[in-house]
Amino acid sequence: MPKKNQTLGEFIIENQADFAYSSGELSRLINSIRLAAKVVNHEVSKAGLVDIVGAYGETNVQGEDQQKLDVYANNTFIQTLTNREIVCGIASEENEDFITIEGCNGDHKNKYVVLMDPLDGSSNIDVNVSVGTIFSIYRRVTPVGTPVTQEDFLQPGNQQVAAGYIIYGTSTMLVYTTGRGVNGFTLNPALGSWYLSHPDMKFPEDGNIYSINEGNYVHFPQGVKDYIKYCQEEKENRPYTSRYIGSMVSDIHRNMIKGGIFIYPKSAKATDGKLRLLYECNPMAFITEQAGGKATDGFSRILDIKPTALHQRAPFFCGSTRMVEKAEEFMAKYGS
Ligand code: P6P
């Protein structure tokens, strides 16, 4: 049972036995992520002071301006995971193709692949709004000792062995699951240690916060428009509160603590939605379900979607079960 204020290191050791089939590799993998998170946090926390904020002058595979911190975070996580020789391959929002870790077709028997969004919400960096790192971990499906293939990355989210996020906010937190609930650790930057501040996190079954970019209202499917009007009508415990930070990790983290729903639906402008299935929706869906919430594409479970492409997008409805179910009722009226 998690004990409040124990360190992340103590927690990992205490729960080592829980990492099914793990020979300690998954523990070492989580440990390498917490190290990289501290390094990135150090840079994010001083972004306004040094010339590291602002566009890097290149664009990533999404055609988005790469903020310098995006590139820094991507390089830091890739380097840390590579140095520890724990994973066989890495896929990142910032890289068009997946990365094969050298030696993977050699003698070491690394069996995990990591997919990540190294700095989600990076457009908020320049305006000092919290951003996050999202990661998703799978056991490879191709034979150990051979080069990883796309098949190792295109697994449905229900095959994840671990997933988590780091939120670089008023305090920096690491929140993750290995399939046995969700625990949140807060960094004490003075000591460089993570402390279990949020043991056994649970999504409230219902809530009164809805998070969606209403600026896109005219482009939304009718079911989403009807749900927004439902949230706004003066009836029962409504109108709900509208809260939208524009940084998914922050929006979902707040809703997991207070209760709420986050929606990034498809629209006339974004026919599959905006968020990436493999390294945004799947990890956040795994965490949400492990915390007792629900995550769908408006119709079916996110974690059951069989991916066909590394950077594919998915509509995303995520949060308190009762709220997601109500939104799905409106979506079902129109069937799309
Ligand atoms: P919009 C950040 O760029 C992000 O990927 C998510 O973190 C966030 O929820 C979403 O995009 C915001 O998108 O279109 O509302 O600005």
Side-chain angles (χ1 to χ4, degrees):
M1 185 60 193
K3 289 189 281 300
K4 192 142 184 172
N5 292 331
Q6 71 182 135
T7 67
L8 177 54
E10 291 162 344
F11 179 84
I12 289 174
I13 290 165
E14 203 170 275
N15 294 278
Q16 167 63 46
D18 284 352
F19 292 163
Y21 322 111
S22 168
S23 55
E25 268 186 65
L26 189 54
S27 305
R28 285 172 46 224
L29 178 40
I30 301 287
N31 270 318
S32 61
I33 288 172
R34 77 171 173 168
L35 172 63
K38 278 198 288 193
V39 174
V40 171
N41 177 65
H42 181 69
E43 290 306 315
V44 169
S45 62
K46 65 180 186 180
L49 300 174
V50 295
D51 180 31
I52 195 165
V53 179
Y56 183 66
E58 296 186 359
T59 59
N60 62 16
V61 294
Q62 326 298 337
E64 297 162 346
D65 283 347
Q66 275 199 296
Q67 300 287 336
K68 282 182 179 177
L69 272 175
D70 262 352
V71 178
Y72 179 84
N74 196 43
N75 294 342
T76 300
F77 277 96
I78 290 171
Q79 203 53 51
T80 307
L81 289 167
T82 302
N83 291 346
R84 295 286 184 96
E85 282 207 357
I86 306 164
V87 299
C88 261
I90 301 169
S92 168
E93 178 176 49
E94 303 300 334
N95 297 75
E96 187 156 3
D97 296 318
F98 61 83
I99 300 161
T100 296
I101 306 302
E102 287 314 310
C104 210
N105 47 351
D107 51 5
H108 68 71
K109 303 297 178 214
N110 297 349
K111 55 177 177 285
Y112 293 108
V113 294
V114 174
L115 299 95
M116 65 177 180
D117 183 355
L119 207 61
D120 178 69
S122 53
S123 56
N124 289 311
I125 293 168
D126 287 340
V127 294
N128 202 17
V129 169
S130 56
V131 293
T133 296
I134 310 170
F135 62 89
S136 172
I137 302 171
Y138 292 84
R139 208 172 286 105
R140 68 179 298 177
V141 291
T142 53
V144 168
T146 64
V148 285
T149 70
Q150 197 152 43
E151 191 188 351
D152 292 305
F153 296 93
L154 299 185
Q155 300 184 54
N158 57 35
Q159 295 302 303
Q160 291 174 94
V161 292
Y165 58 83
I166 297 102
I167 178 169
Y168 309 98
T170 44
S171 60
T172 296
M173 281 191 70
L174 166 61
V175 177
Y176 79 95
T177 181
T178 58
R180 284 174 174 70
V182 178
N183 290 286
F185 298 81
T186 298
L187 177 67
N188 177 334
L191 302 177
S193 300
W194 301 85
Y195 291 90
L196 181 59
S197 52
H198 296 67
D200 198 21
M201 296 179 80
K202 289 290 179 212
F203 242 111
E205 195 177 17
D206 207 342
N208 62 8
I209 295 172
Y210 70 104
S211 309
I212 187 170
N213 185 344
E214 295 186 54
N216 296 323
Y217 181 87
V218 289
H219 302 301
F220 286 154
Q222 192 55 47
V224 174
K225 290 180 179 176
D226 289 358
Y227 180 66
I228 290 172
K229 290 305 170 203
Y230 170 85
C231 294
Q232 294 172 341
E233 70 182 358
E234 195 148 28
K235 201 173 176 184
E236 297 158 352
N237 61 339
R238 302 185 301 280
Y240 292 152
T241 297
S242 173
R243 286 283 182 277
Y244 191 73
I245 298 173
S247 178
M248 175 175 64
V249 167
S250 306
D251 278 315
I252 294 179
H253 182 77
R254 177 207 50 245
N255 290 350
M256 182 155 64
I257 291 170
K258 291 180 176 276
I261 184 172
F262 171 90
I263 303 176
Y264 206 107
K266 70 177 186 180
S267 69
K269 283 197 311 181
T271 51
D272 290 326
K274 172 184 182 184
L275 301 176
R276 307 293 175 170
L277 173 63
L278 291 184
Y279 41 78
E280 291 176 332
C281 300
N282 272 338
M284 298 310 284
F286 187 23
I287 291 165
T288 296
E289 288 195 0
Q290 282 291 310
K294 189 169 186 182
T296 74
D297 61 5
F299 301 95
S300 47
R301 189 180 180 228
I302 283 287
L303 295 183
D304 292 338
I305 296 174
K306 176 69 180 88
T308 53
L310 214 47
H311 300 290
Q312 76 181 72
R313 303 172 193 270
F316 199 41
F317 295 63
C318 171
S320 295
T321 299
R322 292 283 159 271
M323 298 183 83
V324 173
E325 288 173 344
K326 176 56 78 174
E328 287 179 318
E329 280 178 31
F330 286 97
M331 297 301 288
K333 283 182 187 167
Y334 304 92
S336 69

